[in-house]
Amino acid sequence: MEAGMTAQLLLSRRGGREARRTIRTAPKVEMLPTLKRGLPVVDPMDPEQVERVHEASLAILEEVGVVFRDPIAIEDWRRAGADVRADDRVHLDRGLVMELIKTIPPNVEYFARDPAKNVELGGDKSIFVPMTGAPYMRDLDDLRRGPTIADLGTFHKLAHMMPALHSSAHHIVEPMDIVVAHRHLHITYSSMKHSDKIFMGMTTSPKNAEDVLDMCEILFGEGFLEKHAVTTGNCNGNSPLVWDQVMLGGMRAFCRRNQPVLCSPFVLGGANTPASTAAAVAQLNAEALSALAYTQVVRKGCPAIYGHYLSTVSMQSGAPMAGTPEISLMNFMIGQMARRYNVPWRTSNLLGGAKIFDAQAGYESAMTMMAVLMSGANYIWHSAGWNEAGMHCSIAKFVVDAEVCAMGYRMTQGIQWDDFDEALAAVRDVGPGGHYFGHPHTQANFEKAFFIPKLFDNNSIEQWYAGGSKDIKQRALDHARRLLAEYEEPKLDVAKDEELRAYIDRRSREIPAVEALNEEY
């Protein structure tokens, strides 16, 4: 019975199918605004359990301490009144930590090159940001290979064209044809040139961070950064309980220029944390609090974001795993902890460990994304392209992930009530046994009433055969080619573009062209 009714519906829809398909597949580059969550978050811990994690984290900070492998940070902490032992182990009094994190702004407003693409995060507001850091890619022919600066530009163009992506990020893939010491300059320019959305800033060394911020100053104007967030830095911790000199130097650069920084412990559950979900979160929370507090030692009131990278480790192979239940539980818990401290927080989204864009990649990514959305994360990073535990970014997965983000965006907005009475009136008009396809309400609302995926095939099998029997990977690659063919560059101001290029040329002469990060020049 149900199969027969479905067949009749398919037949009745064929008349207007091509028109709807044209609307559905036409490239749409208008960016979705900041996601404002309309669904309640999942809070698996009761208030007593939240306080138990909080107290355990503070005990770790006081009794075990955190290593800051950086003489500048050590002197900063001494001046702030922390107990420094054994040269670099900092024992943090709970009162000091809590006083410091109180000055972190609970919300961040970001300013893009195109003011229409400004976004906010914190509280019930969230943004989606593509993956970064892949040393390999899967290209438009689905070949796994080393990326170039042109390939990075391709991903920045796609990010610009994806409505649900709010940022072009930075090194989505590593441009292997650019010498390491100069790479940050060209990555930043590509982010700025190919998209007018917000972007991320490299923190691969303190000098690199300063270069990125100087380029932002050129793009947005002298003094603009002092009161406006335009980029985001990320500083990863070395779990367990270590922050190194390179990351801390990059953190200071961003804090001093009043730009947001993600304070991100790097969790490989069971390898660098206890083999316990709750205890792992207690350690991670201590690590995040120590870095968040340090941002306020550097500059009180500067924006900072509670960060983390979450993975669990296979006890058979030692490999990181994606999409596991414990990652989802940790996301729920971390959301509760961040809300306890009233700070915005970051998580990782559509993560896959599969080697190709297959069902495993889809299941892992979907498992993680549902938890991310229901945990109330604000800065939702790694939202497009991530596979093979971050070792490659797939063009096919990138565009599908971006569409899945659009689906998640719609779900997380919650139930829409604006046309409830009008839609109910259609029930009276159609009555028993009728259908709604031709009703004026349906015709006026079919595009927005239910999300219509561009890349998921829901046609009959006969239509699928007639269309070439394409799987989602092939449809995604075709879609990416079409987007790239129709991409229009949001041109930089000519004078600013010339100044940016001149800056890159000057710094490329000043920094030795070596295969190492610039930490000196």
Side-chain angles (χ1 to χ4, degrees):
M1 176 71 74
E2 289 181 356
M5 290 176 65
T6 301
Q8 289 180 349
L9 288 172
L10 286 170
L11 289 170
S12 68
R13 286 159 52 188
R14 285 175 182 167
R17 182 182 299 278
E18 290 308 314
R20 290 193 292 271
R21 185 193 302 277
T22 299
I23 294 171
R24 194 164 65 240
T25 59
K28 182 180 179 182
V29 298
E30 183 179 346
M31 190 185 86
L32 293 171
T34 300
L35 170 59
K36 185 172 182 181
R37 190 174 61 253
L39 293 179
V41 295
V42 173
D43 286 338
M45 296 188 289
D46 62 32
E48 180 180 338
Q49 291 166 331
V50 171
E51 290 309 302
R52 189 176 180 186
V53 172
H54 170 68
E55 290 296 325
S57 299
L58 295 181
I60 290 170
L61 293 176
E62 288 182 331
E63 299 166 16
V64 181
V66 178
V67 169
F68 283 76
R69 290 181 180 154
D70 176 59
I72 297 174
I74 292 300
E75 288 307 309
D76 288 341
W77 275 123
R78 282 199 173 104
R79 284 193 296 270
D83 177 12
V84 180
R85 307 177 197 171
D87 295 330
D88 60 3
R89 187 178 291 199
V90 180
H91 293 255
L92 293 169
D93 174 78
R94 63 187 62 206
L96 174 62
V97 171
M98 297 309 294
E99 281 302 311
L100 286 169
I101 66 171
K102 282 180 183 177
T103 61
I104 296 173
N107 302 286
V108 180
E109 182 178 6
Y110 281 98
F111 293 80
R113 181 155 65 90
D114 177 359
K117 294 170 183 171
N118 293 352
V119 293
E120 300 174 70
L121 64 83
D124 61 358
K125 297 181 175 66
S126 305
I127 61 172
F128 292 110
V129 181
M131 78 157 291
T132 64
Y136 296 95
M137 66 176 290
R138 283 191 175 271
D139 62 18
L140 286 165
D141 295 315
D142 199 37
L143 296 175
R144 185 182 185 275
R145 59 175 175 82
T148 65
I149 191 65
D151 294 319
L152 177 60
T154 292
F155 281 108
H156 284 155
K157 292 173 185 176
L158 290 172
H160 180 70
M161 299 282 280
M162 298 286 110
L165 296 182
H166 297 101
S167 169
S168 61
H170 46 27
H171 66 317
I172 295 173
V173 292
E174 286 282 349
M176 298 297 189
D177 55 336
I178 304 292
V179 67
V180 170
H182 298 167
R183 199 171 284 175
H184 64 290
L185 301 168
H186 298 273
I187 290 168
T188 303
Y189 181 71
S190 182
S191 300
M192 293 174 169
K193 172 183 171 66
H194 296 299
S195 178
D196 53 12
K197 298 180 180 182
I198 64 168
F199 53 89
M200 298 185 72
M202 302 293 289
T203 54
T204 42
S205 79
K207 295 290 186 183
N208 289 358
E210 291 288 359
D211 284 340
V212 169
L213 295 165
D214 287 347
M215 292 176 71
C216 291
E217 193 89 4
I218 292 169
L219 182 64
F220 289 96
E222 185 177 356
F224 192 82
L225 274 62
E226 181 63 23
K227 295 184 178 180
H228 303 85
V230 302
T231 189
T232 309
N234 178 60
C235 296
N236 285 323
N238 293 338
S239 300
L241 301 167
V242 175
W243 294 95
D244 68 31
Q245 187 170 9
V246 170
M247 291 286 93
L248 291 168
M251 181 185 293
R252 281 192 296 273
F254 272 72
C255 292
R256 287 169 179 163
R257 304 284 277 272
N258 210 31
Q259 295 303 296
V261 63
L262 309 171
C263 301
S264 303
F266 197 92
V267 170
L268 299 170
N272 62 7
T273 73
S276 157
T277 298
V281 170
Q283 177 191 300
L284 177 156
N285 191 54
E287 294 166 335
L289 288 175
S290 69
L292 290 166
Y294 183 61
T295 66
Q296 303 307 293
V297 171
V298 176
R299 178 171 175 163
K300 185 171 289 189
C302 70
I305 298 169
Y306 184 135
H308 64 77
Y309 171 80
L310 294 178
S311 181
T312 52
V313 171
S314 169
M315 294 299 155
Q316 295 176 321
S317 66
M321 299 184 292
T324 62
E326 292 75 21
I327 294 173
S328 296
L329 291 171
M330 284 191 274
N331 268 312
F332 294 141
M333 294 175 71
I334 293 162
Q336 286 188 264
M337 300 314 298
R339 287 188 288 277
R340 189 211 182 282
Y341 306 125
N342 196 28
V343 294
W345 70 286
R346 160 252 159 149
T347 191
S348 303
N349 193 11
L350 286 152
L351 304 184
K355 312 308 173 280
I356 59 174
F357 184 29
D358 59 5
Q360 177 184 329
Y363 285 131
E364 289 170 332
S365 298
M367 182 79 175
T368 303
M369 183 180 188
M370 288 301 295
V372 164
L373 294 176
M374 301 308 295
S375 65
N378 304 118
Y379 195 97
I380 307 177
W381 195 7
H382 301 318
S383 286
W386 181 289
N387 216 1
E388 196 188 339
M391 288 297 291
H392 81 250
C393 183
S394 158
I395 287 182
K397 190 172 187 292
F398 192 94
V399 297
V400 174
D401 284 351
E403 179 163 88
V404 172
C405 285
M407 297 172 73
Y409 181 105
R410 175 63 194 87
M411 182 193 78
T412 311
Q413 285 181 305
I415 300 166
Q416 307 297 306
W417 293 90
D418 54 333
D419 68 338
F420 182 67
D421 293 334
E422 183 183 353
L424 278 181
V427 178
R428 300 179 183 278
D429 293 341
V430 172
H435 71 76
Y436 290 81
F437 291 121
H439 192 277
H441 178 267
T442 304
Q443 295 297 311
N445 291 278
F446 79 90
E447 286 186 74
K448 66 177 184 178
F450 306 109
F451 191 97
I452 306 176
K454 294 181 176 68
L455 299 175
F456 293 2
D457 186 285
N458 296 293
N459 293 330
S460 68
I461 194 165
E462 292 82 7
Q463 290 170 313
W464 182 69
Y465 285 142
S469 308
K470 294 179 181 180
D471 63 10
I472 193 166
K473 180 179 72 177
Q474 190 56 57
R475 291 195 300 274
L477 293 173
D478 290 347
H479 184 61
R481 290 187 182 95
R482 183 164 62 253
L483 288 173
L484 293 169
E486 299 183 3
Y487 167 81
E488 294 182 5
E489 183 180 316
K491 295 292 186 181
L492 287 162
D493 174 82
V494 174
K496 290 182 183 295
D497 191 25
E498 290 176 352
E499 191 173 356
L500 286 167
R501 289 174 180 269
Y503 183 90
I504 293 170
D505 290 343
R506 176 173 66 80
R507 291 296 286 144
S508 297
R509 292 191 301 272
E510 294 169 348
I511 303 169
V514 296
E515 293 297 334
L517 296 171
N518 175 41
E519 298 187 52
E520 184 178 353
Y521 297 92

